[in-house]
Amino acid sequence: MTRSAIRRLVPGEMNVRGSDLAMLVLGLVIAAAARAASFAGLLGALGVAFVLVNVARVVGWPDREPPLSRRAIAILVALILVVPLRDLAGRAGDLAETEGLSGLGEHLADRRSLEADPSLAPPLVPGDRPLTYFVHATGEHVRVRLGPSTEWMEAEALGHDVFRVDYDPARDGAPPPRAHETLASIEVDGSATTRTLLASTPGPHPRWLHLSPDRTHACVTSEETDEVVTFGPGGEGARTSTLDGPTDCAIDDAGALLVAHRYAHQLLSIDGDGTRMIELGSLGALSLAVVGGHAFVVTDAEEAALIRVGLLGEHETARVALTGHPTFVVSGGGALFVTTAGPATLSRISLEGTIDASRALVSPAVHLTVSPDASEVVLALTDFVEDGAPHLGNHYVEDRLATFDATTLALREDRPTARRTPRQDHAGDVDRGASPMGLSFTARGTLLVAFAGTDEVWELDGLAPPRILDTAPHGLSAPFSAAELEDGSILVTSPSSGRIGTFGQDRALRSSLALALPDRELLRTDPDALQVRFGERAFFEATRSGISCQSCHLHGGTDGAFHNIGGRLAAPTLDVRGVIGTSPYLRDGTYPRLRDLYEVAVTEYRGYREPGGDRAQNLEAWMRTLPPPPTLVARAPERERRGLEVFVRAGCGDCHAAPAFTSLALHPIEAVFPDAPTRAEGRVLDTPSLRSVASSAPYLYDGRATSLDAIFRDHNASDRHGHTDALSDEDLDLLIVFLRSL
Amino acid sequence: MSAAADVDRLTTRMTLGATALSLSVAVSSALDVSSEHRLISGSGALAITLLLFALACSPAATWLAPKRVELAVALRRARRSLGVLAMLAALSHATLGMVGYLGSLDLGPILTVPWLRDGGLALLILVALGLTSFPIVTRTLHVRAWSALHRLVYASALLAALHATGAPFGEAWVGITTLLVVLALLLARPIVHAIALRRAARPGRNAT
């Protein structure tokens, strides 16, 4: 080989020819002129340039340097390219959006975290409630420790490198109160690996106020801090510790306080004689009513039901199976009124346990109350259509109070609450009456409504204009409930502020019970916690259109209804809880980061009424702290292991991969559901996580499957959403047992 | 044996060696997947690895040229073979993907999802490059400016890396690693060239 060979291999000029340069310049000019904002567009422009240059060469354009100096050529090229390059740079954001490049770092970080060996999900340690973790690890024996302040926990092997760990902060130790990160250790066959997890210890959240029958006392629970606050005749509050996860409370005729719990399986009864436990078996309770010596609780554990227990200690004395997920039970006029979500219903049930009347609702009740004469039951709703199909577009979310006949449940009055005021910027802007929450009648028969979206409490007297109490100036942002005591004073709770205010008859603040630090103090001591608090408020805060996150994601969960945000495919609302570490978000994976969801509020719902800091970051900070809902079924390890076998055999784990039971990947809908009745051409589907799937009906991207069973038996004819055709009935049952255990 | 025969032998060895290594990567990638998607995952890994080997040939040849001319020439020749093999592997991968994953030969779904679109574009470029790697094709089509077209191999590799990063059956590190390797090769190109030029200019150090 000779020097000439080397010259060919190492050319002096990097082999850039005039025609190459012309092709590049022409390609960029064409891309700019065609306003290309995608890889395909850019390549198409280069392709056109390639053809044009080749045609020029074929017809005689010589491939030699033009009679200009190199500097002159460089200046000429720069001058030609300056406008197209500026134009293309201006569309770089659009290009990144189109090609899924924006937020790619966050998405890849989440994927790497889930694909590591070992990996653990969710990457969150709640200091206030039990949580089940799944670990994916290659090994036989796995132990997990969620931080220096927690104990080592043995993981239960389910097979196929999947392990399960049940964590209970009360038993295994909680992260330090102000820690926002914790270093977890995963030990696989003696070899330990560390993972950084988000630590979250929420402060007190007083939510639903309940009055004693004579209105002299009131109570409210704080599920996050395991306490109940009671108020006596003077409006003075007293805090009492309870069991794990108090969801609701009630005060009976004799003045005894009863508390229901989500995680503890007992009712707590506190009276002058002391404290008693009333066993509920293996059930956690979501809501509680006390009538005639009996407590009535609704539960979602195992199966949805209304349970009656005797206050003298008798175990379950009656049970009514419910359809959907129960949300509230209230009593009035010798009957019980129960609401459910997914499907949304309102039922009147006798104290003996028979369903007297039931009706479907378009969206689940946010809250409900019964009038003092027990003739009416009033529901706070985000949408309502009398005997009609639900609205599909979420611009139809219309906050309202619907009044039903307490006997027949026939509609008596449907009153939209969203109001326009002179502060509105555009026609349709909403300034008042958004996101109604807790309802309560006064002794006079007027209705108190707390509006978390617009920081106010209304007192409604018939059709007269409401008497409005603005709560935010008193440190009571996003109020949840209001109740009037016998002396005319009004109690107002604000979970996001951890505060309960007492207003006098003149509606001036008389006292304020701060269960949590005020914002100013939190800013000084724990700014990260303050950001989470602001995020929680932003979740309830109404946009100019009157819609808030709460409008569809009721209480941080889901309304189980269908919405088509911005003209996308109408799909059931996703649960907000447990989304940490599962980028991208929304059904079609449009948003790579949680904070990007803020764009929906700004573009679809006209933004917020007032400036409020970095709501996007705040919302993200709060949503990241929400653990997935608890698993509702009792454990059946052997059947779950066999179910996991079926899960793997059917190929479910290829997309719903452990430990988060999602691979975070996007799929064309027609590839997975080629025979879906809903038009899905050109639509993308983000693989949803299967955590808490038992409580997230309806199923599939368009919600056409109403049960887990129906997914496989009725809606997988193509056998592409898992290979379930060949599965026996027993296999399918086992698969569903496994899914329900997630 | 003549220098030309040495180069031919080296070219064959390098092509076979790189293909064997690529197959090994492909098999390991296929084993990571738990079901019928193994073939899709494996063929994709094979195409990407072959493409990376093809991309690495140019800077390696430039680096070696001042001292090991035969090896450098063999690398330049192996680049074409590896590139064509990468194209064939990518075509197989696309066919398997359309049948096994998309369930039809309908191109519509490919346009909807970014990672599928990236893969489609990468394949389109590879096919264009593969076809213009044969002089008979360039002559027949009157393609004169094919060398500029072949610089798009980097675009193809970047798109293939993005495709691998977003693809559901396999791990993200494959795409991330590919992305990093392509960017490193892209950056290395002018640096290696400058160093090789300097080395080639030194008197008495050239291979004979």
PDB file of all heavy atoms in Angstrom, chain A residues 287 289 295-299 303-309 316 318-322 326 328-330 336-338 348-355:
ATOM      1  N   SER A 287     -67.229   4.896  55.213  1.00  0.00           N
ATOM      2  CA  SER A 287     -68.148   5.927  55.683  1.00  0.00           C
ATOM      3  C   SER A 287     -69.059   5.294  56.731  1.00  0.00           C
ATOM      4  O   SER A 287     -69.252   4.074  56.740  1.00  0.00           O
ATOM      5  CB  SER A 287     -68.955   6.476  54.504  1.00  0.00           C
ATOM      6  OG  SER A 287     -69.799   7.523  54.926  1.00  0.00           O
ATOM      7  N   ALA A 289     -72.629   5.756  59.434  1.00  0.00           N
ATOM      8  CA  ALA A 289     -73.829   6.433  59.927  1.00  0.00           C
ATOM      9  C   ALA A 289     -74.315   5.669  61.151  1.00  0.00           C
ATOM     10  O   ALA A 289     -74.140   4.447  61.232  1.00  0.00           O
ATOM     11  CB  ALA A 289     -74.909   6.452  58.847  1.00  0.00           C
ATOM     12  N   ALA A 295     -74.690   0.811  64.023  1.00  0.00           N
ATOM     13  CA  ALA A 295     -73.782   1.560  63.149  1.00  0.00           C
ATOM     14  C   ALA A 295     -73.859   0.929  61.768  1.00  0.00           C
ATOM     15  O   ALA A 295     -73.948  -0.299  61.637  1.00  0.00           O
ATOM     16  CB  ALA A 295     -72.362   1.481  63.678  1.00  0.00           C
ATOM     17  N   PHE A 296     -73.867   1.771  60.765  1.00  0.00           N
ATOM     18  CA  PHE A 296     -73.908   1.285  59.378  1.00  0.00           C
ATOM     19  C   PHE A 296     -72.639   1.794  58.693  1.00  0.00           C
ATOM     20  O   PHE A 296     -72.369   2.997  58.700  1.00  0.00           O
ATOM     21  CB  PHE A 296     -75.146   1.813  58.657  1.00  0.00           C
ATOM     22  CG  PHE A 296     -76.432   1.291  59.237  1.00  0.00           C
ATOM     23  CD1 PHE A 296     -77.011   1.911  60.345  1.00  0.00           C
ATOM     24  CD2 PHE A 296     -77.055   0.176  58.702  1.00  0.00           C
ATOM     25  CE1 PHE A 296     -78.190   1.431  60.894  1.00  0.00           C
ATOM     26  CE2 PHE A 296     -78.237  -0.302  59.248  1.00  0.00           C
ATOM     27  CZ  PHE A 296     -78.811   0.324  60.337  1.00  0.00           C
ATOM     28  N   VAL A 297     -71.877   0.881  58.139  1.00  0.00           N
ATOM     29  CA  VAL A 297     -70.663   1.291  57.442  1.00  0.00           C
ATOM     30  C   VAL A 297     -70.711   0.759  56.018  1.00  0.00           C
ATOM     31  O   VAL A 297     -71.313  -0.289  55.750  1.00  0.00           O
ATOM     32  CB  VAL A 297     -69.373   0.764  58.134  1.00  0.00           C
ATOM     33  CG1 VAL A 297     -69.244   1.330  59.522  1.00  0.00           C
ATOM     34  CG2 VAL A 297     -69.333  -0.748  58.147  1.00  0.00           C
ATOM     35  N   VAL A 298     -70.109   1.517  55.118  1.00  0.00           N
ATOM     36  CA  VAL A 298     -69.928   0.983  53.771  1.00  0.00           C
ATOM     37  C   VAL A 298     -68.471   0.585  53.625  1.00  0.00           C
ATOM     38  O   VAL A 298     -67.571   1.243  54.156  1.00  0.00           O
ATOM     39  CB  VAL A 298     -70.322   1.982  52.665  1.00  0.00           C
ATOM     40  CG1 VAL A 298     -71.817   2.090  52.550  1.00  0.00           C
ATOM     41  CG2 VAL A 298     -69.677   3.335  52.853  1.00  0.00           C
ATOM     42  N   THR A 299     -68.258  -0.510  52.927  1.00  0.00           N
ATOM     43  CA  THR A 299     -66.904  -1.041  52.769  1.00  0.00           C
ATOM     44  C   THR A 299     -66.694  -1.467  51.322  1.00  0.00           C
ATOM     45  O   THR A 299     -67.638  -1.825  50.625  1.00  0.00           O
ATOM     46  CB  THR A 299     -66.667  -2.236  53.712  1.00  0.00           C
ATOM     47  OG1 THR A 299     -65.348  -2.737  53.491  1.00  0.00           O
ATOM     48  CG2 THR A 299     -67.662  -3.357  53.464  1.00  0.00           C
ATOM     49  N   GLU A 303     -65.830  -7.261  48.874  1.00  0.00           N
ATOM     50  CA  GLU A 303     -66.902  -6.875  47.955  1.00  0.00           C
ATOM     51  C   GLU A 303     -67.616  -5.670  48.546  1.00  0.00           C
ATOM     52  O   GLU A 303     -67.650  -5.478  49.759  1.00  0.00           O
ATOM     53  CB  GLU A 303     -67.879  -8.023  47.745  1.00  0.00           C
ATOM     54  CG  GLU A 303     -68.554  -8.486  49.023  1.00  0.00           C
ATOM     55  CD  GLU A 303     -69.608  -9.544  48.745  1.00  0.00           C
ATOM     56  OE1 GLU A 303     -69.576 -10.138  47.674  1.00  0.00           O
ATOM     57  OE2 GLU A 303     -70.467  -9.742  49.612  1.00  0.00           O
ATOM     58  N   ALA A 304     -68.160  -4.857  47.641  1.00  0.00           N
ATOM     59  CA  ALA A 304     -68.811  -3.631  48.089  1.00  0.00           C
ATOM     60  C   ALA A 304     -70.073  -3.981  48.868  1.00  0.00           C
ATOM     61  O   ALA A 304     -70.889  -4.781  48.406  1.00  0.00           O
ATOM     62  CB  ALA A 304     -69.164  -2.777  46.888  1.00  0.00           C
ATOM     63  N   ALA A 305     -70.229  -3.397  50.040  1.00  0.00           N
ATOM     64  CA  ALA A 305     -71.394  -3.745  50.863  1.00  0.00           C
ATOM     65  C   ALA A 305     -71.676  -2.666  51.889  1.00  0.00           C
ATOM     66  O   ALA A 305     -70.790  -1.880  52.259  1.00  0.00           O
ATOM     67  CB  ALA A 305     -71.152  -5.074  51.573  1.00  0.00           C
ATOM     68  N   LEU A 306     -72.933  -2.653  52.312  1.00  0.00           N
ATOM     69  CA  LEU A 306     -73.340  -1.869  53.478  1.00  0.00           C
ATOM     70  C   LEU A 306     -73.508  -2.867  54.618  1.00  0.00           C
ATOM     71  O   LEU A 306     -74.217  -3.868  54.472  1.00  0.00           O
ATOM     72  CB  LEU A 306     -74.667  -1.152  53.203  1.00  0.00           C
ATOM     73  CG  LEU A 306     -75.333  -0.490  54.405  1.00  0.00           C
ATOM     74  CD1 LEU A 306     -74.579   0.765  54.819  1.00  0.00           C
ATOM     75  CD2 LEU A 306     -76.780  -0.123  54.085  1.00  0.00           C
ATOM     76  N   ILE A 307     -72.841  -2.613  55.727  1.00  0.00           N
ATOM     77  CA  ILE A 307     -72.840  -3.566  56.837  1.00  0.00           C
ATOM     78  C   ILE A 307     -73.502  -2.905  58.050  1.00  0.00           C
ATOM     79  O   ILE A 307     -73.221  -1.747  58.356  1.00  0.00           O
ATOM     80  CB  ILE A 307     -71.386  -3.942  57.238  1.00  0.00           C
ATOM     81  CG1 ILE A 307     -70.559  -4.319  56.014  1.00  0.00           C
ATOM     82  CG2 ILE A 307     -71.392  -5.034  58.296  1.00  0.00           C
ATOM     83  CD1 ILE A 307     -70.859  -5.643  55.448  1.00  0.00           C
ATOM     84  N   ARG A 308     -74.351  -3.663  58.727  1.00  0.00           N
ATOM     85  CA  ARG A 308     -74.932  -3.160  59.969  1.00  0.00           C
ATOM     86  C   ARG A 308     -74.304  -3.914  61.144  1.00  0.00           C
ATOM     87  O   ARG A 308     -74.212  -5.141  61.120  1.00  0.00           O
ATOM     88  CB  ARG A 308     -76.440  -3.397  59.966  1.00  0.00           C
ATOM     89  CG  ARG A 308     -77.140  -2.773  61.172  1.00  0.00           C
ATOM     90  CD  ARG A 308     -78.617  -3.006  61.119  1.00  0.00           C
ATOM     91  NE  ARG A 308     -78.949  -4.413  61.383  1.00  0.00           N
ATOM     92  CZ  ARG A 308     -80.189  -4.916  61.314  1.00  0.00           C
ATOM     93  NH1 ARG A 308     -81.199  -4.145  60.955  1.00  0.00           N
ATOM     94  NH2 ARG A 308     -80.413  -6.183  61.566  1.00  0.00           N
ATOM     95  N   VAL A 309     -73.873  -3.168  62.133  1.00  0.00           N
ATOM     96  CA  VAL A 309     -73.355  -3.808  63.353  1.00  0.00           C
ATOM     97  C   VAL A 309     -74.042  -3.172  64.553  1.00  0.00           C
ATOM     98  O   VAL A 309     -74.424  -1.998  64.532  1.00  0.00           O
ATOM     99  CB  VAL A 309     -71.819  -3.660  63.497  1.00  0.00           C
ATOM    100  CG1 VAL A 309     -71.090  -4.450  62.448  1.00  0.00           C
ATOM    101  CG2 VAL A 309     -71.404  -2.206  63.462  1.00  0.00           C
ATOM    102  N   GLU A 316     -71.589  -8.299  62.724  1.00  0.00           N
ATOM    103  CA  GLU A 316     -72.444  -7.972  61.580  1.00  0.00           C
ATOM    104  C   GLU A 316     -73.856  -8.556  61.748  1.00  0.00           C
ATOM    105  O   GLU A 316     -74.021  -9.755  61.931  1.00  0.00           O
ATOM    106  CB  GLU A 316     -71.786  -8.542  60.333  1.00  0.00           C
ATOM    107  CG  GLU A 316     -72.537  -8.314  59.068  1.00  0.00           C
ATOM    108  CD  GLU A 316     -71.784  -8.898  57.877  1.00  0.00           C
ATOM    109  OE1 GLU A 316     -70.551  -8.872  57.876  1.00  0.00           O
ATOM    110  OE2 GLU A 316     -72.444  -9.386  56.959  1.00  0.00           O
ATOM    111  N   ALA A 318     -76.504  -7.349  59.559  1.00  0.00           N
ATOM    112  CA  ALA A 318     -77.141  -7.309  58.231  1.00  0.00           C
ATOM    113  C   ALA A 318     -76.106  -6.858  57.222  1.00  0.00           C
ATOM    114  O   ALA A 318     -75.155  -6.152  57.559  1.00  0.00           O
ATOM    115  CB  ALA A 318     -78.326  -6.354  58.232  1.00  0.00           C
ATOM    116  N   ARG A 319     -76.309  -7.290  56.001  1.00  0.00           N
ATOM    117  CA  ARG A 319     -75.353  -6.928  54.935  1.00  0.00           C
ATOM    118  C   ARG A 319     -76.127  -6.731  53.645  1.00  0.00           C
ATOM    119  O   ARG A 319     -76.981  -7.531  53.287  1.00  0.00           O
ATOM    120  CB  ARG A 319     -74.315  -8.041  54.768  1.00  0.00           C
ATOM    121  CG  ARG A 319     -73.462  -7.922  53.517  1.00  0.00           C
ATOM    122  CD  ARG A 319     -72.525  -9.099  53.402  1.00  0.00           C
ATOM    123  NE  ARG A 319     -71.402  -8.954  54.308  1.00  0.00           N
ATOM    124  CZ  ARG A 319     -70.169  -8.646  53.915  1.00  0.00           C
ATOM    125  NH1 ARG A 319     -69.901  -8.432  52.648  1.00  0.00           N
ATOM    126  NH2 ARG A 319     -69.194  -8.552  54.787  1.00  0.00           N
ATOM    127  N   VAL A 320     -75.826  -5.658  52.942  1.00  0.00           N
ATOM    128  CA  VAL A 320     -76.440  -5.394  51.644  1.00  0.00           C
ATOM    129  C   VAL A 320     -75.322  -5.276  50.623  1.00  0.00           C
ATOM    130  O   VAL A 320     -74.434  -4.428  50.764  1.00  0.00           O
ATOM    131  CB  VAL A 320     -77.246  -4.065  51.655  1.00  0.00           C
ATOM    132  CG1 VAL A 320     -77.925  -3.842  50.319  1.00  0.00           C
ATOM    133  CG2 VAL A 320     -78.252  -4.063  52.784  1.00  0.00           C
ATOM    134  N   ALA A 321     -75.341  -6.140  49.639  1.00  0.00           N
ATOM    135  CA  ALA A 321     -74.320  -6.066  48.591  1.00  0.00           C
ATOM    136  C   ALA A 321     -74.596  -4.853  47.711  1.00  0.00           C
ATOM    137  O   ALA A 321     -75.747  -4.571  47.371  1.00  0.00           O
ATOM    138  CB  ALA A 321     -74.336  -7.335  47.756  1.00  0.00           C
ATOM    139  N   LEU A 322     -73.545  -4.132  47.360  1.00  0.00           N
ATOM    140  CA  LEU A 322     -73.691  -2.927  46.549  1.00  0.00           C
ATOM    141  C   LEU A 322     -72.975  -3.115  45.221  1.00  0.00           C
ATOM    142  O   LEU A 322     -71.980  -3.840  45.138  1.00  0.00           O
ATOM    143  CB  LEU A 322     -73.099  -1.722  47.276  1.00  0.00           C
ATOM    144  CG  LEU A 322     -73.697  -1.381  48.643  1.00  0.00           C
ATOM    145  CD1 LEU A 322     -72.845  -0.332  49.340  1.00  0.00           C
ATOM    146  CD2 LEU A 322     -75.128  -0.877  48.470  1.00  0.00           C
ATOM    147  N   PRO A 326     -68.620   1.840  47.017  1.00  0.00           N
ATOM    148  CA  PRO A 326     -69.365   2.756  47.882  1.00  0.00           C
ATOM    149  C   PRO A 326     -68.516   3.955  48.287  1.00  0.00           C
ATOM    150  O   PRO A 326     -67.305   3.824  48.484  1.00  0.00           O
ATOM    151  CB  PRO A 326     -69.704   1.879  49.091  1.00  0.00           C
ATOM    152  CG  PRO A 326     -68.741   0.758  49.061  1.00  0.00           C
ATOM    153  CD  PRO A 326     -68.370   0.540  47.640  1.00  0.00           C
ATOM    154  N   PHE A 328     -70.295   7.038  50.232  1.00  0.00           N
ATOM    155  CA  PHE A 328     -70.834   7.628  51.463  1.00  0.00           C
ATOM    156  C   PHE A 328     -72.087   6.894  51.895  1.00  0.00           C
ATOM    157  O   PHE A 328     -72.820   6.348  51.072  1.00  0.00           O
ATOM    158  CB  PHE A 328     -71.209   9.103  51.239  1.00  0.00           C
ATOM    159  CG  PHE A 328     -70.045   9.985  50.927  1.00  0.00           C
ATOM    160  CD1 PHE A 328     -69.787  10.390  49.627  1.00  0.00           C
ATOM    161  CD2 PHE A 328     -69.189  10.423  51.941  1.00  0.00           C
ATOM    162  CE1 PHE A 328     -68.716  11.206  49.326  1.00  0.00           C
ATOM    163  CE2 PHE A 328     -68.113  11.240  51.651  1.00  0.00           C
ATOM    164  CZ  PHE A 328     -67.876  11.630  50.341  1.00  0.00           C
ATOM    165  N   VAL A 329     -72.326   6.927  53.211  1.00  0.00           N
ATOM    166  CA  VAL A 329     -73.629   6.524  53.745  1.00  0.00           C
ATOM    167  C   VAL A 329     -74.055   7.616  54.725  1.00  0.00           C
ATOM    168  O   VAL A 329     -73.254   8.059  55.561  1.00  0.00           O
ATOM    169  CB  VAL A 329     -73.579   5.130  54.411  1.00  0.00           C
ATOM    170  CG1 VAL A 329     -72.515   5.041  55.490  1.00  0.00           C
ATOM    171  CG2 VAL A 329     -74.942   4.776  55.001  1.00  0.00           C
ATOM    172  N   VAL A 330     -75.298   8.078  54.575  1.00  0.00           N
ATOM    173  CA  VAL A 330     -75.856   9.038  55.542  1.00  0.00           C
ATOM    174  C   VAL A 330     -77.238   8.520  55.939  1.00  0.00           C
ATOM    175  O   VAL A 330     -77.846   7.705  55.229  1.00  0.00           O
ATOM    176  CB  VAL A 330     -75.979  10.470  54.960  1.00  0.00           C
ATOM    177  CG1 VAL A 330     -74.625  11.042  54.598  1.00  0.00           C
ATOM    178  CG2 VAL A 330     -76.899  10.487  53.754  1.00  0.00           C
ATOM    179  N   LEU A 336     -81.392   4.852  55.164  1.00  0.00           N
ATOM    180  CA  LEU A 336     -79.994   5.158  54.835  1.00  0.00           C
ATOM    181  C   LEU A 336     -79.896   5.519  53.369  1.00  0.00           C
ATOM    182  O   LEU A 336     -80.624   4.963  52.537  1.00  0.00           O
ATOM    183  CB  LEU A 336     -79.114   3.937  55.118  1.00  0.00           C
ATOM    184  CG  LEU A 336     -79.131   3.477  56.569  1.00  0.00           C
ATOM    185  CD1 LEU A 336     -78.692   2.031  56.663  1.00  0.00           C
ATOM    186  CD2 LEU A 336     -78.241   4.364  57.423  1.00  0.00           C
ATOM    187  N   PHE A 337     -79.002   6.422  53.051  1.00  0.00           N
ATOM    188  CA  PHE A 337     -78.774   6.809  51.664  1.00  0.00           C
ATOM    189  C   PHE A 337     -77.309   6.533  51.352  1.00  0.00           C
ATOM    190  O   PHE A 337     -76.416   7.045  52.041  1.00  0.00           O
ATOM    191  CB  PHE A 337     -79.132   8.280  51.461  1.00  0.00           C
ATOM    192  CG  PHE A 337     -80.582   8.552  51.738  1.00  0.00           C
ATOM    193  CD1 PHE A 337     -81.011   8.885  53.019  1.00  0.00           C
ATOM    194  CD2 PHE A 337     -81.525   8.415  50.726  1.00  0.00           C
ATOM    195  CE1 PHE A 337     -82.346   9.099  53.285  1.00  0.00           C
ATOM    196  CE2 PHE A 337     -82.871   8.622  50.991  1.00  0.00           C
ATOM    197  CZ  PHE A 337     -83.290   8.964  52.270  1.00  0.00           C
ATOM    198  N   VAL A 338     -77.105   5.707  50.348  1.00  0.00           N
ATOM    199  CA  VAL A 338     -75.754   5.246  50.025  1.00  0.00           C
ATOM    200  C   VAL A 338     -75.424   5.657  48.602  1.00  0.00           C
ATOM    201  O   VAL A 338     -76.241   5.479  47.689  1.00  0.00           O
ATOM    202  CB  VAL A 338     -75.643   3.709  50.168  1.00  0.00           C
ATOM    203  CG1 VAL A 338     -74.276   3.218  49.737  1.00  0.00           C
ATOM    204  CG2 VAL A 338     -75.917   3.295  51.600  1.00  0.00           C
ATOM    205  N   ARG A 348     -81.590   4.222  48.362  1.00  0.00           N
ATOM    206  CA  ARG A 348     -82.223   4.354  49.673  1.00  0.00           C
ATOM    207  C   ARG A 348     -82.367   2.939  50.226  1.00  0.00           C
ATOM    208  O   ARG A 348     -82.941   2.049  49.572  1.00  0.00           O
ATOM    209  CB  ARG A 348     -83.590   5.009  49.536  1.00  0.00           C
ATOM    210  CG  ARG A 348     -84.357   5.108  50.845  1.00  0.00           C
ATOM    211  CD  ARG A 348     -85.813   5.489  50.601  1.00  0.00           C
ATOM    212  NE  ARG A 348     -86.611   5.180  51.774  1.00  0.00           N
ATOM    213  CZ  ARG A 348     -87.000   6.084  52.677  1.00  0.00           C
ATOM    214  NH1 ARG A 348     -86.696   7.355  52.498  1.00  0.00           N
ATOM    215  NH2 ARG A 348     -87.707   5.728  53.721  1.00  0.00           N
ATOM    216  N   ILE A 349     -81.815   2.727  51.393  1.00  0.00           N
ATOM    217  CA  ILE A 349     -81.800   1.385  51.981  1.00  0.00           C
ATOM    218  C   ILE A 349     -82.429   1.459  53.373  1.00  0.00           C
ATOM    219  O   ILE A 349     -82.108   2.365  54.156  1.00  0.00           O
ATOM    220  CB  ILE A 349     -80.353   0.849  52.066  1.00  0.00           C
ATOM    221  CG1 ILE A 349     -79.748   0.793  50.657  1.00  0.00           C
ATOM    222  CG2 ILE A 349     -80.317  -0.536  52.708  1.00  0.00           C
ATOM    223  CD1 ILE A 349     -78.294   0.414  50.608  1.00  0.00           C
ATOM    224  N   SER A 350     -83.305   0.527  53.645  1.00  0.00           N
ATOM    225  CA  SER A 350     -83.960   0.532  54.955  1.00  0.00           C
ATOM    226  C   SER A 350     -82.975   0.089  56.032  1.00  0.00           C
ATOM    227  O   SER A 350     -81.940  -0.530  55.734  1.00  0.00           O
ATOM    228  CB  SER A 350     -85.171  -0.399  54.941  1.00  0.00           C
ATOM    229  OG  SER A 350     -84.714  -1.744  54.968  1.00  0.00           O
ATOM    230  N   LEU A 351     -83.335   0.380  57.279  1.00  0.00           N
ATOM    231  CA  LEU A 351     -82.455  -0.006  58.380  1.00  0.00           C
ATOM    232  C   LEU A 351     -82.372  -1.517  58.507  1.00  0.00           C
ATOM    233  O   LEU A 351     -81.445  -2.060  59.103  1.00  0.00           O
ATOM    234  CB  LEU A 351     -82.957   0.596  59.693  1.00  0.00           C
ATOM    235  CG  LEU A 351     -83.026   2.135  59.743  1.00  0.00           C
ATOM    236  CD1 LEU A 351     -83.475   2.603  61.115  1.00  0.00           C
ATOM    237  CD2 LEU A 351     -81.694   2.768  59.392  1.00  0.00           C
ATOM    238  N   GLU A 352     -83.337  -2.210  57.908  1.00  0.00           N
ATOM    239  CA  GLU A 352     -83.324  -3.675  57.957  1.00  0.00           C
ATOM    240  C   GLU A 352     -82.465  -4.254  56.837  1.00  0.00           C
ATOM    241  O   GLU A 352     -82.189  -5.450  56.813  1.00  0.00           O
ATOM    242  CB  GLU A 352     -84.745  -4.235  57.827  1.00  0.00           C
ATOM    243  CG  GLU A 352     -85.603  -4.040  59.069  1.00  0.00           C
ATOM    244  CD  GLU A 352     -85.954  -2.569  59.301  1.00  0.00           C
ATOM    245  OE1 GLU A 352     -86.293  -1.884  58.296  1.00  0.00           O
ATOM    246  OE2 GLU A 352     -85.847  -2.096  60.436  1.00  0.00           O
ATOM    247  N   GLY A 353     -82.082  -3.423  55.902  1.00  0.00           N
ATOM    248  CA  GLY A 353     -81.172  -3.903  54.871  1.00  0.00           C
ATOM    249  C   GLY A 353     -81.808  -4.220  53.536  1.00  0.00           C
ATOM    250  O   GLY A 353     -81.261  -5.008  52.758  1.00  0.00           O
ATOM    251  N   THR A 354     -82.945  -3.617  53.238  1.00  0.00           N
ATOM    252  CA  THR A 354     -83.530  -3.823  51.912  1.00  0.00           C
ATOM    253  C   THR A 354     -83.395  -2.521  51.114  1.00  0.00           C
ATOM    254  O   THR A 354     -83.544  -1.418  51.665  1.00  0.00           O
ATOM    255  CB  THR A 354     -85.020  -4.198  51.999  1.00  0.00           C
ATOM    256  OG1 THR A 354     -85.685  -3.223  52.812  1.00  0.00           O
ATOM    257  CG2 THR A 354     -85.202  -5.570  52.605  1.00  0.00           C
ATOM    258  N   ILE A 355     -83.111  -2.703  49.832  1.00  0.00           N
ATOM    259  CA  ILE A 355     -82.955  -1.524  48.968  1.00  0.00           C
ATOM    260  C   ILE A 355     -84.352  -1.078  48.528  1.00  0.00           C
ATOM    261  O   ILE A 355     -85.033  -1.764  47.776  1.00  0.00           O
ATOM    262  CB  ILE A 355     -82.065  -1.856  47.755  1.00  0.00           C
ATOM    263  CG1 ILE A 355     -80.662  -2.253  48.238  1.00  0.00           C
ATOM    264  CG2 ILE A 355     -81.977  -0.660  46.813  1.00  0.00           C
ATOM    265  CD1 ILE A 355     -79.707  -2.668  47.146  1.00  0.00           C
TER     266      ILE A 355
END
